[in-house]
Amino acid sequence: MISISEKAKNKITQLKADAGLSDDYFLRVGVVGGGCSGLSYKLDFDNESQPNDQVFEDQGVRLVTDLKSFLYLCDTTLDFSDGLNGKGFHFINPNASRTCGCGESFAV
C-alpha cells in the first residue's frame, strides 16, 4: 500500500482544486530512472487508468501507480513539508537503501 499524510492530503486537495480538476482525476505516483541516486519519484494528476495499475485510496485521495513502480513504493508514505528545510512533497520509503541530499532520488 501507498499512504499519504494529512499535510500531503491537504496539499493534493488544494492543488487539484486550483487546477480545476474533476473528481475523476487521481494522483499518479511513479518511479523513473535518473537523479543522483539512480531512481527518481514522479507525481502527476491523471484521469486515465492503464493495464496493471495498482490503485490505493488513503484519506479520501486515490493514488495510482504502475506495477513496476509499486515494487519500489510498497509501504511508502507521501508527506508534504512547508518548513524552512524544504518545501514540497517528500517520500518516506522504507525500501530505499540511500537517498540523495535533496530527497528527490533514491536507490534500493
Side-chain angles (χ1 to χ4, degrees):
M1 174 165 185
I2 300 171
S3 57
I4 62 170
S5 70
E6 181 74 23
K7 280 187 174 183
K9 178 196 101 156
N10 293 339
K11 188 62 175 180
I12 291 165
T13 303
Q14 176 194 349
L15 290 171
K16 194 172 166 183
D18 290 349
L21 300 176
S22 62
D23 287 340
D24 60 330
Y25 278 82
F26 49 82
L27 185 67
R28 182 170 291 281
V29 183
V31 173
V32 294
C36 45
S37 292
L39 297 168
S40 294
Y41 299 107
K42 183 177 178 184
L43 288 173
D44 202 1
F45 289 111
D46 194 357
N47 65 347
E48 295 183 22
S49 295
Q50 303 296 322
N52 299 321
D53 272 350
Q54 306 298 300
V55 180
F56 306 95
E57 188 162 331
D58 189 29
Q59 300 202 47
V61 175
R62 194 165 33 135
L63 300 128
V64 176
T65 187
D66 62 273
L67 186 57
K68 186 177 177 183
S69 293
F70 178 66
L71 298 174
Y72 296 107
L73 296 171
C74 184
D75 297 325
T76 293
T77 300
L78 177 60
D79 194 13
F80 182 80
S81 174
D82 54 3
L84 296 174
N85 289 337
K87 185 180 234 181
F89 288 101
H90 301 281
F91 291 84
I92 303 166
N93 187 344
N95 305 302
S97 61
R98 66 187 161 111
T99 60
C100 66
C102 64
E104 293 184 14
S105 68
F106 69 102
V108 290

